[in-house]
Amino acid sequence: MISSLSLDQLRVLVAIADAGSFSAAGRNLRRVQSAISQTVATLEATQEVTLFDRSGHRPQLTDTGRILVQQARMVLASAARFEAVAAGSRQGMEAELALAIDPLVPTAPLIGSLRALHETHPQLQISFSTEGLGGALRRLRAGDVSLALCLLLPDAPEDVTATPLIRINLLPVTAADHPLATLGRPATRVDLETHIQLVLSDPANRHGPNYGLTGSAPWRFVDLGRRMDFLLAGFGWCRMPEHLVKEHLDAGRLVRLTLDDDTRGNTDPLTIYAAHLADRVPGPAGRWLLSNLAARVAD
Amino acid sequence: MISSLSLDQLRVLVAIADAGSFSAAGRNLRRVQSAISQTVATLEATQEVTLFDRSGHRPQLTDTGRILVQQARMVLASAARFEAVAAGSRQGMEAELALAIDPLVPTAPLIGSLRALHETHPQLQISFSTEGLGGALRRLRAGDVSLALCLLLPDAPEDVTATPLIRINLLPVTAADHPLATLGRPATRVDLETHIQLVLSDPANRHGPNYGLTGSAPWRFVDLGRRMDFLLAGFGWCRMPEHLVKEHLDAGRLVRLTLDDDTRGNTDPLTIYAAHLADRVPGPAGRWLLSNLAARVAD
DNA sequence: TGCTTTCCATCATATCAGGTGATAGTTTTG
DNA sequence: CAAAACTATCACCTGATATGATGGAAAGCA
C-alpha cells in the first residue's frame, strides 16, 4: 500500500485533541477507549512520530502532535468539502456553473450576483469566460458553458431558450473634437458613411453580420475597452451602451450624435438575454443566479 | 460512524481518473480490478452520487465525477502535507519554528532568510513575534519560542546559550532643528541631561535598567517607529542603529551628535545575539535559519 | 465476420484491520 | 485511603474489503 494514512485515524486524533482525553474521545466517537488507544498507536507507528507524551498521567500532545492536529483538521476540512459537493449534486445541484458573457453585458450587477452566489453555495465551482461578440453563444452551443448572457442578434436561434434580462440603450457617440460632433444638424447616412465607424465584430465570423453597422469604412474591434480608447482618441463614431459612456458624456469628452430619421432605424435598445440550450436546463445554482441577477438589474 | 469517507476511496477515484480505466487503476495500485470496481460502488453508494456513466463501453466520469476528482485531489494533497510534516519531524525536524526578535534587530536580512527557509521547508510552520525591548528574551524563557534574536544587556543570563549574530552601530542623533544639533562642540553630560532622551524600555519592566540611558528626563518608547517619529519631530535625542537613520542623516533631517569623552562610554556597537535556552537546542530548521542569517549579514 | 483482447460487474471466499471487552497499573480527587 | 478516571495491553471476534473466477459487452484486428 502506497500510504496507510486514513481519514479515520485523523478523525480520532482530532477527537482526542477536542475532547482532552482518549476516553472522552472514545465516548464522543462511540468507541471503547482501547480502540482509540490502538488507533493512536498504529498512527504513531506508521507515521513514525510521537504524538503524545506519555510520561505524565494522561497523554499530552507533543509539539509535533499539536502541529499534526492542525494539519489533520485541514485534511478533514477538505474531506468535508468533498462531501459537501457530493451532497450538493445529490440534491440536483450542478457540480459547476460555467458562464459565458458577451462584451456588452454590464459587469457591475454580475459581479454582485456572482459574489452572492459564491456565498450561498460555497462549494460550487464557478467558471467564467468572456470573448468577442458572439463568443458567448458559440461557447453555449459548443457545450462549454451551461449559461450565456448574450445578444441574440441578428436572429434568435432555434436550439436555445432565452429570457430577456436587461435592456441597454445604445447611444451614437463620438469624441468631442470629431467632425461629426460639430455638424450642427442631425447626421445623415451620407455623413456617417464618410467617417469611420468603430464596430464590434465576431472574431470567428469576420464576414458575418455586424450589429449596428451603418457606415462603409468600419474598423473592427473585439473588446469594448480598446474600442473606447479609439473612440476617445477621435478615430470615429459608434453606438455605445449608455452606462459605459455616461461619465465621458458628462465630462464632455464624448458627445451624443443626433441622427436623422433615415439612420435611426437600429437605435432601439439592445436586449441582453440569458440563454441556455433547450435540452440542457440550468440546475438550481444557475436558476438562483438568474433570479438574483434579474432582481439586481430591476433596480 | 459519522462519516464513512476514506482516503483510500479517494486514492482509488483519482487513480482511475489518472489511469483512464478501472483495470489500469487496479494495475497501478496493485489490486485486482474487482476491488476497484467495488470501491467505486461503495463510494457511490455512501455518497449517493453517480461518479461514472456506465452506458458506454468503459465507464466515463460524469460532470459531478469530474468535480469530485478535483476535490479528491485536494484532499489527498492536504493528506500529503500531513505526512510531510510527520516525515519532517521523523528526521528530527522541529514541527514549528517560533521566533522572537527585539526591535533593534534589522529586519531586511531576516525577511530574506525567512523566505528562503519557507522555500526550503515548505511544511514548516513559522511563527514570529516582536515586542518591546527585552520581550524576545522573556518569550524565550517562557518557552513560547525556541529561538530569540535579541540583545543580552545588561548581562548575559546563565540559562541561555547565545552566539553573536550582528553588530550594529548606535549613533547618537537628534533632529536638525534641535538645540543639541547646533551646539558647535562635543556634547557634555550636562548638555545631554538638560534635554529629553528618547529611550526604548522594556514595557514589562519599567523600572529596570534602560540600555544606553544617560540623561535624566527620559521618554519611554516600546517601538522604534514611534520613537523615530518623535525624534524627527525634534522632541529629544537618542542613540539609533545606523542603518535606520542613514537615510535621514543623508537628507539632513537628523544630525549626528558628537559627544565628549565623558559620555562616550556606551557608544560601543551593540551586539545582536541568537539565543536559545541551554536545555532546548534548536532543531535543523532553526540551525538552518541561523546559518543562512549569518551568511546574509556577512555581506 | 470471426477471433482475440480489453474492460467491467457480480459473486463466493478468504483475510486482515480494527473494534470489543476484560484486566492491570497509574494518577487524581475527595 | 478509597473511589474515580485514565491508559496500555491482550485475546477474541466481527466486518469491511481484497481476491479470484465467471460472464457479458465493446473494441481491435485479420
Side-chain angles (χ1 to χ4, degrees), chain B residues 113-158:
Chain B
S113 285
L114 286 177
R115 178 168 299 135
L117 176 65
H118 181 67
E119 281 165 12
T120 311
H121 303 291
Q123 83 283 4
L124 182 73
Q125 292 200 10
I126 303 171
S127 78
F128 186 92
S129 74
T130 179
E131 314 180 1
L133 208 56
L137 193 55
R138 193 163 48 248
R139 294 197 80 98
L140 185 68
R141 284 221 178 86
D144 295 339
V145 304
S146 57
L147 199 60
L149 307 183
C150 58
L151 316 182
L152 289 181
L153 299 175
D155 50 352
E158 288 289 318

mmCIF file of all heavy atoms in Angstrom, chain B residues 113-158:
data_model
loop_
_atom_site.group_PDB
_atom_site.id
_atom_site.type_symbol
_atom_site.label_atom_id
_atom_site.label_comp_id
_atom_site.label_asym_id
_atom_site.label_seq_id
_atom_site.Cartn_x
_atom_site.Cartn_y
_atom_site.Cartn_z
ATOM 1 N N SER B 113 15.957 35.665 4.863
ATOM 2 C CA SER B 113 16.229 34.331 5.385
ATOM 3 C C SER B 113 14.945 33.556 5.634
ATOM 4 O O SER B 113 14.875 32.352 5.388
ATOM 5 C CB SER B 113 17.022 34.431 6.685
ATOM 6 O OG SER B 113 18.361 34.775 6.405
ATOM 7 N N LEU B 114 13.927 34.253 6.130
ATOM 8 C CA LEU B 114 12.667 33.556 6.400
ATOM 9 C C LEU B 114 12.031 33.081 5.105
ATOM 10 O O LEU B 114 11.471 31.982 5.047
ATOM 11 C CB LEU B 114 11.713 34.475 7.161
ATOM 12 C CG LEU B 114 12.072 34.681 8.626
ATOM 13 C CD1 LEU B 114 11.109 35.662 9.279
ATOM 14 C CD2 LEU B 114 12.048 33.357 9.376
ATOM 15 N N ARG B 115 12.124 33.886 4.072
ATOM 16 C CA ARG B 115 11.565 33.467 2.789
ATOM 17 C C ARG B 115 12.314 32.226 2.278
ATOM 18 O O ARG B 115 11.710 31.267 1.834
ATOM 19 C CB ARG B 115 11.652 34.598 1.779
ATOM 20 C CG ARG B 115 11.122 34.216 0.413
ATOM 21 C CD ARG B 115 10.961 35.439 -0.473
ATOM 22 N NE ARG B 115 10.025 36.379 0.085
ATOM 23 C CZ ARG B 115 10.229 37.696 0.153
ATOM 24 N NH1 ARG B 115 11.338 38.208 -0.336
ATOM 25 N NH2 ARG B 115 9.320 38.491 0.682
ATOM 26 N N ALA B 116 13.632 32.268 2.397
ATOM 27 C CA ALA B 116 14.418 31.117 1.946
ATOM 28 C C ALA B 116 14.092 29.891 2.783
ATOM 29 O O ALA B 116 13.987 28.772 2.264
ATOM 30 C CB ALA B 116 15.908 31.442 2.031
ATOM 31 N N LEU B 117 13.902 30.094 4.076
ATOM 32 C CA LEU B 117 13.561 28.959 4.947
ATOM 33 C C LEU B 117 12.240 28.341 4.521
ATOM 34 O O LEU B 117 12.100 27.112 4.457
ATOM 35 C CB LEU B 117 13.470 29.442 6.396
ATOM 36 C CG LEU B 117 13.036 28.394 7.421
ATOM 37 C CD1 LEU B 117 14.065 27.284 7.525
ATOM 38 C CD2 LEU B 117 12.806 29.027 8.788
ATOM 39 N N HIS B 118 11.292 29.206 4.193
ATOM 40 C CA HIS B 118 9.979 28.691 3.809
ATOM 41 C C HIS B 118 10.053 27.919 2.499
ATOM 42 O O HIS B 118 9.346 26.941 2.310
ATOM 43 C CB HIS B 118 8.983 29.835 3.683
ATOM 44 C CG HIS B 118 7.602 29.380 3.316
ATOM 45 N ND1 HIS B 118 6.826 28.629 4.177
ATOM 46 C CD2 HIS B 118 6.873 29.532 2.191
ATOM 47 C CE1 HIS B 118 5.682 28.349 3.578
ATOM 48 N NE2 HIS B 118 5.680 28.886 2.381
ATOM 49 N N GLU B 119 10.937 28.367 1.612
ATOM 50 C CA GLU B 119 11.067 27.649 0.343
ATOM 51 C C GLU B 119 11.758 26.313 0.543
ATOM 52 O O GLU B 119 11.453 25.335 -0.125
ATOM 53 C CB GLU B 119 11.846 28.504 -0.669
ATOM 54 C CG GLU B 119 10.965 29.577 -1.306
ATOM 55 C CD GLU B 119 11.786 30.628 -2.019
ATOM 56 O OE1 GLU B 119 12.993 30.419 -2.224
ATOM 57 O OE2 GLU B 119 11.209 31.679 -2.370
ATOM 58 N N THR B 120 12.707 26.279 1.468
ATOM 59 C CA THR B 120 13.436 25.036 1.697
ATOM 60 C C THR B 120 12.595 24.026 2.470
ATOM 61 O O THR B 120 12.651 22.830 2.205
ATOM 62 C CB THR B 120 14.725 25.335 2.491
ATOM 63 O OG1 THR B 120 15.393 26.419 1.872
ATOM 64 C CG2 THR B 120 15.623 24.113 2.526
ATOM 65 N N HIS B 121 11.818 24.521 3.424
ATOM 66 C CA HIS B 121 10.989 23.620 4.232
ATOM 67 C C HIS B 121 9.550 24.121 4.214
ATOM 68 O O HIS B 121 9.097 24.746 5.161
ATOM 69 C CB HIS B 121 11.512 23.575 5.675
ATOM 70 C CG HIS B 121 12.947 23.166 5.792
ATOM 71 N ND1 HIS B 121 13.371 21.886 5.506
ATOM 72 C CD2 HIS B 121 14.050 23.840 6.149
ATOM 73 C CE1 HIS B 121 14.672 21.809 5.689
ATOM 74 N NE2 HIS B 121 15.117 22.975 6.078
ATOM 75 N N PRO B 122 8.844 23.837 3.123
ATOM 76 C CA PRO B 122 7.508 24.425 2.971
ATOM 77 C C PRO B 122 6.533 23.986 4.056
ATOM 78 O O PRO B 122 5.583 24.687 4.355
ATOM 79 C CB PRO B 122 7.054 23.910 1.605
ATOM 80 C CG PRO B 122 8.217 23.237 0.992
ATOM 81 C CD PRO B 122 9.203 22.939 2.059
ATOM 82 N N GLN B 123 6.740 22.804 4.601
ATOM 83 C CA GLN B 123 5.755 22.324 5.567
ATOM 84 C C GLN B 123 5.998 22.863 6.966
ATOM 85 O O GLN B 123 5.198 22.651 7.865
ATOM 86 C CB GLN B 123 5.746 20.788 5.580
ATOM 87 C CG GLN B 123 6.801 20.110 6.442
ATOM 88 C CD GLN B 123 8.174 20.123 5.780
ATOM 89 O OE1 GLN B 123 8.344 20.702 4.723
ATOM 90 N NE2 GLN B 123 9.143 19.505 6.414
ATOM 91 N N LEU B 124 7.110 23.577 7.140
ATOM 92 C CA LEU B 124 7.420 24.100 8.468
ATOM 93 C C LEU B 124 6.548 25.319 8.775
ATOM 94 O O LEU B 124 6.457 26.242 7.981
ATOM 95 C CB LEU B 124 8.893 24.505 8.525
ATOM 96 C CG LEU B 124 9.395 25.022 9.863
ATOM 97 C CD1 LEU B 124 9.512 23.883 10.853
ATOM 98 C CD2 LEU B 124 10.724 25.725 9.701
ATOM 99 N N GLN B 125 5.922 25.277 9.937
ATOM 100 C CA GLN B 125 5.157 26.446 10.346
ATOM 101 C C GLN B 125 6.085 27.408 11.061
ATOM 102 O O GLN B 125 6.770 27.027 12.001
ATOM 103 C CB GLN B 125 4.028 26.039 11.277
ATOM 104 C CG GLN B 125 2.951 25.236 10.584
ATOM 105 C CD GLN B 125 1.663 25.273 11.365
ATOM 106 O OE1 GLN B 125 1.525 26.036 12.326
ATOM 107 N NE2 GLN B 125 0.719 24.449 10.951
ATOM 108 N N ILE B 126 6.076 28.634 10.637
ATOM 109 C CA ILE B 126 6.949 29.635 11.239
ATOM 110 C C ILE B 126 6.078 30.645 11.962
ATOM 111 O O ILE B 126 5.144 31.191 11.376
ATOM 112 C CB ILE B 126 7.781 30.336 10.150
ATOM 113 C CG1 ILE B 126 8.592 29.304 9.361
ATOM 114 C CG2 ILE B 126 8.681 31.376 10.780
ATOM 115 C CD1 ILE B 126 9.276 29.883 8.147
ATOM 116 N N SER B 127 6.388 30.864 13.222
ATOM 117 C CA SER B 127 5.681 31.932 13.909
ATOM 118 C C SER B 127 6.698 32.939 14.390
ATOM 119 O O SER B 127 7.875 32.626 14.570
ATOM 120 C CB SER B 127 4.843 31.402 15.066
ATOM 121 O OG SER B 127 5.667 31.129 16.164
ATOM 122 N N PHE B 128 6.230 34.119 14.614
ATOM 123 C CA PHE B 128 7.119 35.247 14.681
ATOM 124 C C PHE B 128 6.508 36.257 15.640
ATOM 125 O O PHE B 128 5.337 36.567 15.564
ATOM 126 C CB PHE B 128 7.194 35.837 13.265
ATOM 127 C CG PHE B 128 8.185 36.935 13.114
ATOM 128 C CD1 PHE B 128 9.467 36.666 12.711
ATOM 129 C CD2 PHE B 128 7.824 38.228 13.384
ATOM 130 C CE1 PHE B 128 10.383 37.679 12.561
ATOM 131 C CE2 PHE B 128 8.734 39.243 13.242
ATOM 132 C CZ PHE B 128 10.017 38.971 12.834
ATOM 133 N N SER B 129 7.301 36.743 16.570
ATOM 134 C CA SER B 129 6.756 37.771 17.438
ATOM 135 C C SER B 129 7.825 38.811 17.702
ATOM 136 O O SER B 129 9.011 38.505 17.830
ATOM 137 C CB SER B 129 6.274 37.176 18.761
ATOM 138 O OG SER B 129 7.380 36.842 19.568
ATOM 139 N N THR B 130 7.389 40.033 17.759
ATOM 140 C CA THR B 130 8.299 41.096 18.137
ATOM 141 C C THR B 130 7.553 42.016 19.074
ATOM 142 O O THR B 130 6.390 42.356 18.848
ATOM 143 C CB THR B 130 8.844 41.842 16.904
ATOM 144 O OG1 THR B 130 9.711 42.872 17.336
ATOM 145 C CG2 THR B 130 7.739 42.426 16.067
ATOM 146 N N GLU B 131 8.185 42.324 20.173
ATOM 147 C CA GLU B 131 7.525 43.165 21.164
ATOM 148 C C GLU B 131 8.492 44.254 21.569
ATOM 149 O O GLU B 131 9.361 44.635 20.807
ATOM 150 C CB GLU B 131 7.138 42.346 22.387
ATOM 151 C CG GLU B 131 6.490 41.034 22.037
ATOM 152 C CD GLU B 131 6.137 40.275 23.284
ATOM 153 O OE1 GLU B 131 6.386 40.775 24.394
ATOM 154 O OE2 GLU B 131 5.611 39.164 23.143
ATOM 155 N N GLY B 132 8.343 44.711 22.770
ATOM 156 C CA GLY B 132 9.256 45.739 23.245
ATOM 157 C C GLY B 132 10.618 45.158 23.565
ATOM 158 O O GLY B 132 10.844 43.940 23.503
ATOM 159 N N LEU B 133 11.519 46.041 23.876
ATOM 160 C CA LEU B 133 12.876 45.628 24.224
ATOM 161 C C LEU B 133 12.826 44.646 25.398
ATOM 162 O O LEU B 133 12.149 44.889 26.394
ATOM 163 C CB LEU B 133 13.664 46.872 24.630
ATOM 164 C CG LEU B 133 15.164 46.856 24.416
ATOM 165 C CD1 LEU B 133 15.486 46.573 22.974
ATOM 166 C CD2 LEU B 133 15.734 48.196 24.836
ATOM 167 N N GLY B 134 13.548 43.558 25.281
ATOM 168 C CA GLY B 134 13.529 42.553 26.334
ATOM 169 C C GLY B 134 12.439 41.512 26.158
ATOM 170 O O GLY B 134 12.458 40.461 26.795
ATOM 171 N N GLY B 135 11.507 41.801 25.297
ATOM 172 C CA GLY B 135 10.396 40.875 25.095
ATOM 173 C C GLY B 135 10.842 39.557 24.487
ATOM 174 O O GLY B 135 10.332 38.485 24.837
ATOM 175 N N ALA B 136 11.808 39.622 23.586
ATOM 176 C CA ALA B 136 12.270 38.400 22.931
ATOM 177 C C ALA B 136 12.855 37.437 23.954
ATOM 178 O O ALA B 136 12.537 36.250 23.986
ATOM 179 C CB ALA B 136 13.296 38.740 21.855
ATOM 180 N N LEU B 137 13.691 37.985 24.817
ATOM 181 C CA LEU B 137 14.310 37.133 25.832
ATOM 182 C C LEU B 137 13.254 36.557 26.779
ATOM 183 O O LEU B 137 13.324 35.394 27.188
ATOM 184 C CB LEU B 137 15.331 37.967 26.615
ATOM 185 C CG LEU B 137 16.303 37.196 27.503
ATOM 186 C CD1 LEU B 137 17.047 36.145 26.685
ATOM 187 C CD2 LEU B 137 17.280 38.153 28.162
ATOM 188 N N ARG B 138 12.271 37.367 27.087
ATOM 189 C CA ARG B 138 11.230 36.905 28.006
ATOM 190 C C ARG B 138 10.420 35.770 27.383
ATOM 191 O O ARG B 138 10.106 34.774 28.029
ATOM 192 C CB ARG B 138 10.323 38.072 28.384
ATOM 193 C CG ARG B 138 9.402 37.795 29.554
ATOM 194 C CD ARG B 138 8.841 39.069 30.149
ATOM 195 N NE ARG B 138 8.318 39.959 29.127
ATOM 196 C CZ ARG B 138 8.845 41.119 28.800
ATOM 197 N NH1 ARG B 138 9.918 41.549 29.429
ATOM 198 N NH2 ARG B 138 8.315 41.847 27.847
ATOM 199 N N ARG B 139 10.099 35.924 26.100
ATOM 200 C CA ARG B 139 9.345 34.852 25.434
ATOM 201 C C ARG B 139 10.184 33.587 25.340
ATOM 202 O O ARG B 139 9.668 32.469 25.409
ATOM 203 C CB ARG B 139 8.913 35.292 24.039
ATOM 204 C CG ARG B 139 7.918 36.422 24.047
ATOM 205 C CD ARG B 139 7.231 36.525 22.703
ATOM 206 N NE ARG B 139 6.188 35.547 22.580
ATOM 207 C CZ ARG B 139 4.909 35.808 22.794
ATOM 208 N NH1 ARG B 139 4.520 37.006 23.120
ATOM 209 N NH2 ARG B 139 4.002 34.859 22.661
ATOM 210 N N LEU B 140 11.484 33.765 25.173
ATOM 211 C CA LEU B 140 12.369 32.591 25.124
ATOM 212 C C LEU B 140 12.330 31.854 26.458
ATOM 213 O O LEU B 140 12.167 30.638 26.513
ATOM 214 C CB LEU B 140 13.794 33.049 24.810
ATOM 215 C CG LEU B 140 14.817 31.940 24.608
ATOM 216 C CD1 LEU B 140 14.508 31.175 23.336
ATOM 217 C CD2 LEU B 140 16.233 32.508 24.539
ATOM 218 N N ARG B 141 12.434 32.602 27.530
ATOM 219 C CA ARG B 141 12.424 31.988 28.861
ATOM 220 C C ARG B 141 11.088 31.358 29.168
ATOM 221 O O ARG B 141 10.999 30.340 29.848
ATOM 222 C CB ARG B 141 12.723 33.062 29.917
ATOM 223 C CG ARG B 141 14.176 33.469 29.993
ATOM 224 C CD ARG B 141 14.567 33.622 31.447
ATOM 225 N NE ARG B 141 15.973 33.968 31.591
ATOM 226 C CZ ARG B 141 16.436 35.211 31.539
ATOM 227 N NH1 ARG B 141 15.607 36.218 31.339
ATOM 228 N NH2 ARG B 141 17.719 35.438 31.708
ATOM 229 N N ALA B 142 10.013 31.971 28.671
ATOM 230 C CA ALA B 142 8.685 31.425 28.943
ATOM 231 C C ALA B 142 8.425 30.155 28.127
ATOM 232 O O ALA B 142 7.427 29.470 28.349
ATOM 233 C CB ALA B 142 7.624 32.477 28.607
ATOM 234 N N GLY B 143 9.320 29.863 27.207
ATOM 235 C CA GLY B 143 9.123 28.663 26.391
ATOM 236 C C GLY B 143 8.213 28.896 25.207
ATOM 237 O O GLY B 143 7.855 27.950 24.505
ATOM 238 N N ASP B 144 7.806 30.140 24.985
ATOM 239 C CA ASP B 144 6.930 30.420 23.855
ATOM 240 C C ASP B 144 7.660 30.245 22.534
ATOM 241 O O ASP B 144 7.056 29.881 21.536
ATOM 242 C CB ASP B 144 6.411 31.866 23.935
ATOM 243 C CG ASP B 144 5.530 32.079 25.152
ATOM 244 O OD1 ASP B 144 5.015 31.080 25.680
ATOM 245 O OD2 ASP B 144 5.379 33.244 25.564
ATOM 246 N N VAL B 145 8.928 30.580 22.528
ATOM 247 C CA VAL B 145 9.684 30.495 21.287
ATOM 248 C C VAL B 145 10.935 29.661 21.535
ATOM 249 O O VAL B 145 11.379 29.503 22.677
ATOM 250 C CB VAL B 145 10.094 31.889 20.759
ATOM 251 C CG1 VAL B 145 8.874 32.770 20.584
ATOM 252 C CG2 VAL B 145 11.108 32.538 21.668
ATOM 253 N N SER B 146 11.489 29.141 20.461
ATOM 254 C CA SER B 146 12.683 28.321 20.610
ATOM 255 C C SER B 146 13.943 29.084 20.228
ATOM 256 O O SER B 146 15.041 28.608 20.450
ATOM 257 C CB SER B 146 12.565 27.057 19.763
ATOM 258 O OG SER B 146 12.353 27.409 18.415
ATOM 259 N N LEU B 147 13.742 30.243 19.638
ATOM 260 C CA LEU B 147 14.887 31.000 19.163
ATOM 261 C C LEU B 147 14.579 32.485 19.323
ATOM 262 O O LEU B 147 13.486 32.932 19.003
ATOM 263 C CB LEU B 147 15.132 30.676 17.685
ATOM 264 C CG LEU B 147 16.488 30.992 17.078
ATOM 265 C CD1 LEU B 147 17.584 30.232 17.798
ATOM 266 C CD2 LEU B 147 16.478 30.611 15.606
ATOM 267 N N ALA B 148 15.549 33.224 19.854
ATOM 268 C CA ALA B 148 15.342 34.658 20.009
ATOM 269 C C ALA B 148 16.514 35.388 19.391
ATOM 270 O O ALA B 148 17.666 34.954 19.518
ATOM 271 C CB ALA B 148 15.207 35.027 21.486
ATOM 272 N N LEU B 149 16.220 36.456 18.697
ATOM 273 C CA LEU B 149 17.269 37.351 18.218
ATOM 274 C C LEU B 149 17.135 38.614 19.056
ATOM 275 O O LEU B 149 16.140 39.332 18.966
ATOM 276 C CB LEU B 149 17.067 37.672 16.729
ATOM 277 C CG LEU B 149 16.933 36.449 15.823
ATOM 278 C CD1 LEU B 149 16.804 36.873 14.366
ATOM 279 C CD2 LEU B 149 18.120 35.525 15.989
ATOM 280 N N CYS B 150 18.121 38.831 19.907
ATOM 281 C CA CYS B 150 17.909 39.857 20.925
ATOM 282 C C CYS B 150 19.234 40.422 21.422
ATOM 283 O O CYS B 150 20.306 39.906 21.115
ATOM 284 C CB CYS B 150 17.139 39.260 22.103
ATOM 285 S SG CYS B 150 17.982 37.860 22.852
ATOM 286 N N LEU B 151 19.119 41.467 22.194
ATOM 287 C CA LEU B 151 20.245 41.994 22.943
ATOM 288 C C LEU B 151 20.420 41.137 24.189
ATOM 289 O O LEU B 151 19.479 40.498 24.644
ATOM 290 C CB LEU B 151 19.958 43.424 23.397
ATOM 291 C CG LEU B 151 19.342 44.360 22.376
ATOM 292 C CD1 LEU B 151 19.189 45.735 23.000
ATOM 293 C CD2 LEU B 151 20.237 44.428 21.168
ATOM 294 N N LEU B 152 21.617 41.168 24.764
ATOM 295 C CA LEU B 152 21.796 40.470 26.031
ATOM 296 C C LEU B 152 22.302 41.418 27.095
ATOM 297 O O LEU B 152 23.044 41.023 27.981
ATOM 298 C CB LEU B 152 22.738 39.277 25.842
ATOM 299 C CG LEU B 152 22.109 38.131 25.048
ATOM 300 C CD1 LEU B 152 23.077 36.984 24.914
ATOM 301 C CD2 LEU B 152 20.832 37.656 25.744
ATOM 302 N N LEU B 153 21.910 42.669 27.010
ATOM 303 C CA LEU B 153 22.311 43.639 28.027
ATOM 304 C C LEU B 153 21.249 43.684 29.107
ATOM 305 O O LEU B 153 20.091 43.422 28.815
ATOM 306 C CB LEU B 153 22.469 45.021 27.387
ATOM 307 C CG LEU B 153 23.540 45.085 26.300
ATOM 308 C CD1 LEU B 153 23.532 46.444 25.637
ATOM 309 C CD2 LEU B 153 24.880 44.787 26.914
ATOM 310 N N PRO B 154 21.548 44.041 30.302
ATOM 311 C CA PRO B 154 22.877 44.431 30.772
ATOM 312 C C PRO B 154 23.810 43.247 31.013
ATOM 313 O O PRO B 154 25.012 43.413 31.043
ATOM 314 C CB PRO B 154 22.574 45.139 32.093
ATOM 315 C CG PRO B 154 21.291 44.538 32.555
ATOM 316 C CD PRO B 154 20.522 44.171 31.321
ATOM 317 N N ASP B 155 23.277 42.052 31.176
ATOM 318 C CA ASP B 155 24.170 40.932 31.468
ATOM 319 C C ASP B 155 23.680 39.704 30.726
ATOM 320 O O ASP B 155 22.489 39.565 30.455
ATOM 321 C CB ASP B 155 24.206 40.655 32.969
ATOM 322 C CG ASP B 155 22.794 40.546 33.530
ATOM 323 O OD1 ASP B 155 21.838 40.841 32.768
ATOM 324 O OD2 ASP B 155 22.644 40.184 34.703
ATOM 325 N N ALA B 156 24.598 38.838 30.391
ATOM 326 C CA ALA B 156 24.214 37.616 29.709
ATOM 327 C C ALA B 156 23.681 36.611 30.744
ATOM 328 O O ALA B 156 24.388 36.257 31.668
ATOM 329 C CB ALA B 156 25.420 37.018 28.982
ATOM 330 N N PRO B 157 22.445 36.173 30.567
ATOM 331 C CA PRO B 157 21.885 35.252 31.557
ATOM 332 C C PRO B 157 22.554 33.879 31.482
ATOM 333 O O PRO B 157 23.133 33.511 30.458
ATOM 334 C CB PRO B 157 20.414 35.165 31.156
ATOM 335 C CG PRO B 157 20.202 36.191 30.092
ATOM 336 C CD PRO B 157 21.531 36.488 29.495
ATOM 337 N N GLU B 158 22.436 33.146 32.569
ATOM 338 C CA GLU B 158 23.066 31.834 32.665
ATOM 339 C C GLU B 158 22.332 30.770 31.859
ATOM 340 O O GLU B 158 22.933 29.847 31.331
ATOM 341 C CB GLU B 158 23.101 31.381 34.140
ATOM 342 C CG GLU B 158 24.099 32.134 34.996
ATOM 343 C CD GLU B 158 25.525 31.757 34.635
ATOM 344 O OE1 GLU B 158 25.786 30.565 34.413
ATOM 345 O OE2 GLU B 158 26.370 32.679 34.562
#
